[in-house]
Amino acid sequence: HVTPGLRVRHFATAELDDQLHLVAVAEEPATVPNLEVEVVPGVTSITACAAKAHLPLAARNERLTVLPGPLPEDELRSRIDGAESVAIMKVGRHLGKIRAVIEDLGFSEDAVYIERASLPDEKVCPLSQAPEKAPYFSMILLTKGADPWL
């Protein structure tokens, strides 16, 4: 909540897509009524999605690879194929391409689709049940399960 008379110069907000937005505010006292601010330090969209999916990102010595959805198909394929555990961000309009690559590699059953994590209309499901179109705030988590802990 805004404290009356509070003077704010700058503040930053980390959005669900992990882009950092810097907002400059005049040195006037804050005059935004009923502004609610929640600070959740250290919780990134990747960990929020993993928590919502009830899925560990990696186990023991596994490495987590984070990939952007807009990568070219061939690069996406080679990086997913060579990874142990994968988080694919910025899925949005690239869902069809990403889904086809994961299916071709035989990892469909290991992939989870998450959209709008932590928002009231969030959706968490197996990739095979994901909608045809994905919003920008969506992610795919893939753990190949090579470690017996998974």
Side-chain angles (χ1 to χ4, degrees):
H1 297 288
V2 176
T3 304
L6 178 67
R7 294 184 185 274
V8 179
R9 281 184 160 264
H10 297 92
F11 65 92
T13 62
E15 299 294 329
L16 293 178
D17 61 359
D18 287 336
Q19 293 178 353
L20 188 63
H21 299 276
L22 183 64
V23 180
V25 179
E27 289 188 306
E28 310 286 324
T31 58
V32 181
N34 302 320
L35 174 67
E36 292 186 28
V37 178
E38 180 181 3
V39 177
V40 185
V43 177
T44 65
S45 59
I46 295 172
T47 53
C49 286
K52 293 295 182 174
H54 304 285
L55 183 70
L57 290 171
R60 296 193 285 187
N61 293 329
E62 286 186 326
R63 292 164 292 179
L64 172 64
T65 301
V66 180
L67 301 173
L71 281 177
E73 186 174 335
D74 290 343
E75 184 174 357
L76 194 61
R77 180 183 310 281
S78 79
R79 288 183 181 233
I80 292 172
D81 195 35
E84 297 162 327
S85 185
V86 182
I88 304 170
M89 303 177 68
K90 303 175 187 171
V91 172
R93 60 190 170 105
H94 306 282
L95 178 59
K97 170 187 72 179
I98 297 166
R99 187 192 323 246
V101 166
I102 291 172
E103 286 174 359
D104 288 349
L105 290 170
F107 298 124
S108 292
E109 298 303 314
D110 304 311
V112 177
Y113 170 83
I114 305 101
E115 78 179 41
R116 297 183 178 94
S118 78
L119 296 177
D121 57 344
E122 78 180 11
K123 180 176 184 143
V124 179
C125 64
L127 179 59
S128 61
Q129 296 174 17
E132 291 300 312
K133 291 186 175 185
Y136 184 75
F137 293 128
S138 56
M139 185 176 300
I140 295 171
L141 299 177
L142 168 62
T143 302
K144 294 180 180 176
D147 190 290
W149 282 83
L150 300 175

